Amino acid sequence: MVSHIRLKNDGCRNELARTQRALGRAERERERDHHRPLNIHPSVSAAAGIVVCSSDQSKDVRSGRSSIDSIPAGPAMIRLKQPLLLSAQSGNVASPLFATAAATSSQQRRASRAGGRVRTCRISCASTEEAIGVSTSVTTKDRNLTVTAIVTAQKPTSVYVSRGLDDLQDLFGKTLLLELVSSELDPRTGREREKVKGFAHMTLKDGTYEAKMSVPESFGPVGAVMVENEHHREMFIKNIKLITGGDESTAITFDVASWVHSKFDNPEPRVFFTIKSYLPSQTPRGIEALRKKELETLRGDGQGERKFHERIYDYDTYNDLGDPDKNIDHKRPVIGGKEHPYPRDAAPVAPKPSSTRRRRRGAHRSIDALYSDGIPLPVDGSTSFNIINDVIPRVVQMIEDTTDHVLRFEVPHMVERDRFSWFRDEEFARQTLAGLNPICIRLLTEFPIVSKLDPEVYGPPESALTKELLEKMMNGLMTVEEALEKKRLYMLDYHDVFLPYVHKVRELPDTTLYGSRTIFFLGNEGTLMPLAIELTRPQSPTKPQWKCAFTHGPDATESWLWKLAKAHVLTHDTGYHQLVSHWLRTHACVEPYIIATNRQLSRMHPVHRLLHPHFRYTMEINALAREALINADGIIEEAFWPGRYSIELCSVAYDATWQFNTEALPEDLISRGLAVRQDDGELELTIKDYPYGSDGLLIWNCIKQWASDYITFYYKSDEDVTGDQELQAWWEEVRTKGHADKKDEPWWPVCDSKDNLVQILSIIMWVTSGHHAAVNFGQYHFGGYFPNRPTVVRKNIRWRRTGTTR
């Protein structure tokens, strides 16, 4: 470091020599004990004309307004040209290295506006300055700090050809090359500071590597760590800790949680930024270029063949669900585009042929045996038990006796409490509101009910649910008109969405389908009861349209026909729940948000860090779903009634029903007529006993308040939102690439204010938390007992007038 000192007589030179000797002695003492503050007595510093100040006066020193007269007695801080920040009031030598980078960044920006350099106070010998005009420079050596980097990684478990070479590399102490990147620019050159490098070697603790690095005190805050993996295989690194002087209290942690490619696959090192969040305009200048380069790497250039080690996020259509080259029956349409609109997914994954075969169980006794008798397993030691227990530990119970190994399914709680609750109308209505799919029921607002489908193709649009029938089932309590006005009639409508697929599904083996409508009545006590069910088969070239209304009648025949009609409705609801309410709305539609977040928002961006926990595992789950769940002959096609038309029907629902703005819980409730907004802005539920609405609004309000507080912390004005280039590119890409088939819809919110940004983020966080929880975590509770949530009906219902199936 250089401190400019003007000397004008020999006496001043002598004073300077004495001062240098005093500084040398203090420096040597500090080397022996770096926790001891460096104190310079005011008389010594004043005699040499060195400006010394307390931390409270540092601002004035930088601006050149301090004088020796203003220096207080006692411990002080020396100001040299480079900002060492060795405060006598803090013995922590590590503090300048890991100081808040934002303060350094703002100081540099003020300096750049003032001429590109941080101003330092001239150190002068004022008593003799006027006599002689001699000047000289004294160079003070920049001290180094010892920084220990501790890398926690996942121990490699696989054996590969070059594993022996990697083990030798570990023994020689060259497993990972670490490079520390300063947040500051070098004030002498205006460029990034030189990186501090060091090899991390394996320690005695498995999966832990350590490096010792000598870092100049003037290095500034560490803004990023770059990692080069010297192994021949990728390595999963959990975190990196930087510790100064062996003092654990100084440790800062870089939360890595990522695979790091081998340098033999790609010589470019991985970069991991500090956990502090920055808007693009506030990024410390020392890591601005790295931030931009990292995003360019994640976006890729869209050219060439994708390599295994690459981390490129890009968009594609669902073009990998079938494999017609292997089996022509696996041919499936491309989902995503004008013909079959759909949200985009990430890079395609080759489907794995499913070995699943459909099994049929004829009686309830066979179903009950799954929970009582169990399924015998082959005796092969403990392997079967370990695998099953690892995969599905929550839904099975293991029984082992002296001779048999048995897999027994755990009894769902709802069946354990009441074995025949699923048979009753009250439970049928209750689960429509508080069961596995509580987001499809809506208020009936128009009567008579009329289909919107083309009557030339599907037959007459009028419903079989007539005014006389509904009033009869309401026991004369009120007319249909009065019930509509009082918001007492509700409908579960799977008519128009399924009717175009009725004939297609009926061509599948052992499967049938109808379009259905179910009408519910809200009684005076505030509970729902089903009134009537309509089943419809559209016309065909050989048969006219067939439709029939079913009610809970007094005789045994009508009673059982009513139960069969409920079974058909439950099948429709189960299929729609799995394909639309769950898969489409909380998985497929979320994937574009994740891709855009990784492509356009740096990991340092506060919005990236806000959303990241809500996206955990979604990409992996979606990739696995494309391999084994929604693929050709996968679990959904094998187990649910839509069969090979499952994902195609999902596309139809996306095109007809999905809107980003109504994914917000309040707007969803209002659009379905389940809530009304009052004059004060609060929502009033039309059905008080509606847990998804009442409990969900509590969670929604918490999410929105958290998003609002978070955004207000980082964005001080609407201009900050519109001026955030990463944020604007992210939202533009969500709309125009992720949901390209709906990019021109008028309901997309504009990301031009803090309020709109809060709403956008609240919707995404709600869908991935509260909404997903409601349609996901009850699957075994409600669906574990097949009669309660059947996935397929194999026979047409018999019409009571003729005894024939329709």
Side-chain angles (χ1 to χ4, degrees):
M1 308 259 174
V2 179
S3 300
H4 294 289
I5 303 177
R6 293 192 177 276
L7 304 178
K8 298 190 178 180
N9 54 30
D10 293 337
C12 190
R13 289 191 183 93
N14 293 333
E15 289 294 330
L16 176 61
R18 286 195 295 272
T19 301
Q20 286 178 315
R21 288 194 294 271
L23 287 173
R25 287 194 299 271
E27 186 71 6
R28 285 192 296 273
E29 290 177 3
R30 191 171 184 82
E31 288 287 348
R32 288 194 295 270
D33 184 5
H34 64 255
H35 291 291
R36 180 179 166 190
L38 176 57
N39 294 334
I40 304 175
H41 196 277
S43 62
V44 176
S45 59
I50 300 175
V51 174
V52 182
C53 64
S54 67
S55 58
D56 293 336
Q57 295 171 307
S58 60
K59 181 176 180 180
D60 289 337
V61 171
R62 288 194 298 270
S63 61
R65 292 193 296 270
S66 288
S67 66
I68 296 178
D69 295 335
S70 65
I71 300 173
M77 177 171 65
I78 182 168
R79 277 287 175 183
L80 302 177
K81 185 175 181 182
Q82 297 290 346
L84 296 185
L85 304 181
L86 296 178
S87 174
Q89 297 171 348
S90 173
N92 186 357
V93 180
S95 58
L97 182 63
F98 304 132
T100 303
T104 305
S105 176
S106 61
Q107 180 181 343
Q108 288 184 340
R109 294 181 192 281
R110 290 195 299 269
S112 65
R113 289 194 293 268
R117 287 172 39 176
V118 179
R119 292 188 58 190
T120 57
C121 191
R122 289 177 56 192
I123 305 175
S124 61
C125 195
S127 61
T128 57
E129 188 174 13
E130 298 175 359
I132 303 172
V134 181
S135 66
T136 185
S137 296
V138 177
T139 301
T140 304
K141 185 179 179 181
D142 191 7
R143 293 182 60 249
N144 286 344
L145 302 173
T146 299
V147 175
T148 303
I150 300 177
V151 181
T152 305
Q154 182 174 292
K155 183 181 178 182
T157 55
S158 60
V159 178
Y160 47 91
V161 175
S162 53
R163 175 70 183 272
L165 295 175
D166 291 345
D167 290 342
L168 286 175
Q169 194 84 327
D170 289 342
L171 291 177
F172 287 118
K174 292 188 175 181
T175 304
L176 299 167
L177 176 60
L178 305 180
E179 299 179 67
L180 305 185
V181 183
S182 174
S183 294
E184 300 176 353
L185 296 178
D186 190 327
R188 294 170 298 177
T189 64
R191 299 180 180 178
E192 289 88 355
R193 290 184 184 273
E194 184 177 351
K195 301 178 183 68
V196 176
K197 301 181 180 182
F199 278 102
H201 61 85
M202 186 172 59
T203 66
L204 295 177
K205 185 178 179 180
D206 285 344
T208 302
Y209 302 85
E210 184 177 298
K212 299 281 187 181
M213 288 177 279
S214 183
V215 183
E217 279 185 321
S218 60
F219 189 74
V222 177
V225 177
M226 302 182 73
V227 182
E228 181 181 272
N229 177 13
E230 306 297 309
H231 279 183
H232 290 76
R233 284 286 183 93
E234 62 180 358
M235 177 186 295
F236 186 82
I237 297 181
K238 299 176 182 177
N239 59 63
I240 300 173
K241 285 185 178 180
L242 301 181
I243 303 172
T244 306
D247 184 1
E248 288 282 349
S249 66
T250 68
I252 60 170
T253 301
F254 289 76
D255 188 14
V256 177
S258 180
W259 291 95
V260 176
H261 60 262
S262 166
K263 73 173 185 179
F264 300 101
D265 292 327
N266 181 4
E268 288 291 325
R270 284 288 305 276
V271 57
F272 301 102
F273 296 104
T274 176
I275 60 174
K276 183 173 175 59
S277 299
Y278 297 100
L279 296 178
S281 61
Q282 299 168 349
T283 308
R285 298 182 67 185
I287 54 176
E288 277 182 337
L290 277 180
R291 179 173 184 154
K292 294 177 181 177
K293 183 179 179 181
E294 176 71 358
L295 285 175
E296 290 170 358
T297 300
L298 291 170
R299 286 194 290 266
D301 59 6
Q303 304 297 321
E305 184 179 350
R306 194 70 48 82
K307 296 180 177 61
F308 178 78
H309 66 270
E310 291 178 330
R311 298 178 297 122
I312 296 173
Y313 288 83
D314 210 346
Y315 301 92
D316 206 342
T317 56
Y318 283 68
N319 56 8
D320 58 344
L321 299 180
D323 189 3
D325 294 336
K326 183 178 293 186
N327 186 339
I328 193 61
D329 290 336
H330 287 181
K331 185 177 181 180
R332 299 292 183 270
V334 174
I335 304 299
K338 186 175 181 181
E339 186 175 355
H340 299 291
Y342 210 64
R344 301 300 188 260
D345 69 347
V349 180
K352 295 180 180 179
S354 173
S355 59
T356 305
R357 293 293 179 268
R358 183 160 45 226
R359 289 190 174 93
R360 296 177 59 181
R361 300 278 179 177
H364 285 176
R365 289 192 303 273
S366 299
I367 298 173
D368 292 343
L370 295 173
Y371 313 100
S372 56
D373 301 336
I375 304 172
L377 295 175
V379 180
D380 58 351
S382 60
T383 306
S384 298
F385 295 100
N386 291 335
I387 293 175
I388 294 172
N389 212 30
D390 288 343
V391 175
I392 45 176
R394 293 177 57 196
V395 299
V396 298
Q397 293 178 342
M398 305 307 304
I399 299 177
E400 183 177 3
D401 54 29
T402 55
T403 58
D404 298 327
H405 295 74
V406 177
L407 167 65
R408 187 177 70 180
F409 283 83
E410 187 174 333
V411 180
H413 293 308
M414 63 156 293
V415 178
E416 194 172 38
R417 288 198 307 266
D418 186 346
R419 186 179 175 187
F420 292 101
S421 62
W422 60 276
F423 232 41
R424 290 189 283 273
D425 289 353
E426 294 86 350
E427 183 65 13
F428 175 70
R430 187 190 74 84
Q431 290 190 28
T432 302
L433 284 177
L436 190 55
N437 190 31
I439 62 176
C440 288
I441 186 171
R442 59 179 56 247
L443 180 70
L444 183 62
T445 57
E446 297 179 355
F447 200 86
I449 304 169
V450 179
S451 171
K452 294 180 174 61
L453 298 176
D454 186 356
E456 296 293 327
V457 177
Y458 300 102
E462 293 79 18
S463 172
L465 300 171
T466 63
K467 173 181 169 66
E468 293 75 20
L469 177 67
L470 297 183
E471 290 178 352
K472 173 186 174 183
M473 297 309 299
M474 287 188 287
N475 296 321
L477 289 176
M478 60 186 71
T479 65
V480 168
E481 291 76 15
E482 290 172 335
L484 292 175
E485 183 180 356
K486 295 179 180 180
K487 295 180 172 58
R488 305 287 283 274
L489 292 178
Y490 294 83
M491 179 167 63
L492 195 60
D493 188 0
Y494 296 124
H495 186 274
D496 286 7
V497 68
F498 289 164
L499 210 62
Y501 283 86
V502 167
H503 293 309
K504 294 179 180 180
V505 170
R506 287 186 172 209
E507 293 174 358
L508 301 175
D510 299 325
T511 308
T512 192
L513 179 64
Y514 299 94
S516 70
R517 296 186 181 102
T518 305
I519 303 297
F520 298 87
F521 177 70
L522 182 63
N524 294 330
E525 65 281 4
T527 57
L528 279 185
M529 282 295 289
L531 294 183
I533 294 172
E534 176 187 19
L535 299 180
T536 304
R537 186 205 65 214
Q539 67 185 27
S540 70
T542 59
K543 294 181 180 179
Q545 182 195 71
W546 177 88
K547 65 181 68 170
C548 185
F550 297 86
T551 60
H552 194 160
D555 59 73
T557 300
E558 287 195 2
S559 178
W560 278 104
L561 284 172
W562 167 250
K563 288 179 174 59
L564 289 173
K566 285 196 299 182
H568 280 277
V569 171
L570 287 170
T571 304
H572 302 163
D573 192 58
T574 301
Y576 194 89
H577 157 263
Q578 201 63 264
L579 287 170
V580 181
S581 302
H582 186 192
W583 163 255
L584 173 66
R585 293 178 64 177
T586 69
H587 285 269
C589 288
V590 168
E591 190 160 347
Y593 311 150
I594 304 173
I595 299 173
T597 298
N598 284 282
R599 283 169 54 87
Q600 298 297 344
L601 297 178
S602 166
R603 289 189 69 173
M604 286 191 292
H605 199 290
V607 171
H608 187 293
R609 289 206 162 111
L610 176 66
L611 294 178
H612 181 72
H614 297 274
F615 295 156
R616 193 179 186 192
Y617 302 135
T618 302
M619 291 283 283
E620 180 184 9
I621 291 170
N622 289 5
L624 293 173
R626 287 187 285 272
E627 289 184 3
L629 189 66
I630 63 171
N631 63 306
D633 277 354
I635 294 173
I636 293 292
E637 289 195 4
E638 284 284 304
F640 289 77
W641 60 264
R644 62 182 294 116
Y645 303 105
S646 295
I647 201 70
E648 186 180 330
L649 194 148
C650 193
S651 167
V652 171
Y654 172 76
D655 186 38
T657 65
W658 189 84
Q659 292 185 198
F660 181 83
N661 61 324
T662 55
E663 290 297 281
L665 179 60
E667 280 65 29
D668 169 52
L669 295 174
I670 293 171
S671 68
R672 292 189 287 119
L674 271 295
V676 176
R677 194 176 295 280
Q678 303 298 306
D679 295 337
D680 59 359
E682 296 296 320
L683 293 186
E684 181 182 1
L685 297 177
T686 55
I687 301 177
K688 306 303 180 186
D689 187 14
Y690 183 31
Y692 179 76
S694 55
D695 296 348
L697 284 173
L698 295 175
I699 299 172
W700 165 268
N701 291 335
C702 291
I703 289 174
K704 190 165 185 180
Q705 184 62 55
W706 161 233
S708 178
D709 293 345
Y710 188 89
I711 292 304
T712 299
F713 181 83
Y714 287 100
Y715 295 91
K716 305 307 178 186
S717 66
D718 293 343
E719 288 72 22
D720 289 343
V721 174
T722 56
D724 187 337
Q725 295 179 351
E726 287 185 11
L727 182 73
Q728 295 301 320
W730 167 75
W731 185 237
E732 177 72 8
E733 194 167 283
V734 166
R735 181 176 64 84
T736 61
K737 290 189 176 181
H739 288 274
D741 300 326
K742 287 180 174 281
K743 62 184 177 67
D744 296 321
E745 296 290 349
W747 36 255
W748 284 103
V750 180
C751 189
D752 60 355
S753 67
K754 291 166 58 179
D755 288 343
N756 283 358
L757 177 58
V758 167
Q759 182 73 0
I760 289 168
L761 298 177
S762 297
I763 290 174
I764 294 174
M765 290 191 288
W766 162 253
V767 169
T768 54
S769 58
H771 179 155
H772 180 263
V775 299
N776 178 71
F777 293 119
Q779 289 187 91
Y780 192 74
H781 177 82
F782 292 107
Y785 189 68
F786 186 80
N788 187 63
R789 298 288 296 180
T791 61
V792 62
V793 173
R794 305 198 182 279
K795 298 294 184 181
N796 296 334
I797 197 165
R798 287 184 174 273
W799 200 25
R800 60 179 176 268
R801 296 179 184 174
T802 63
T804 59
T805 57
R806 295 286 178 171

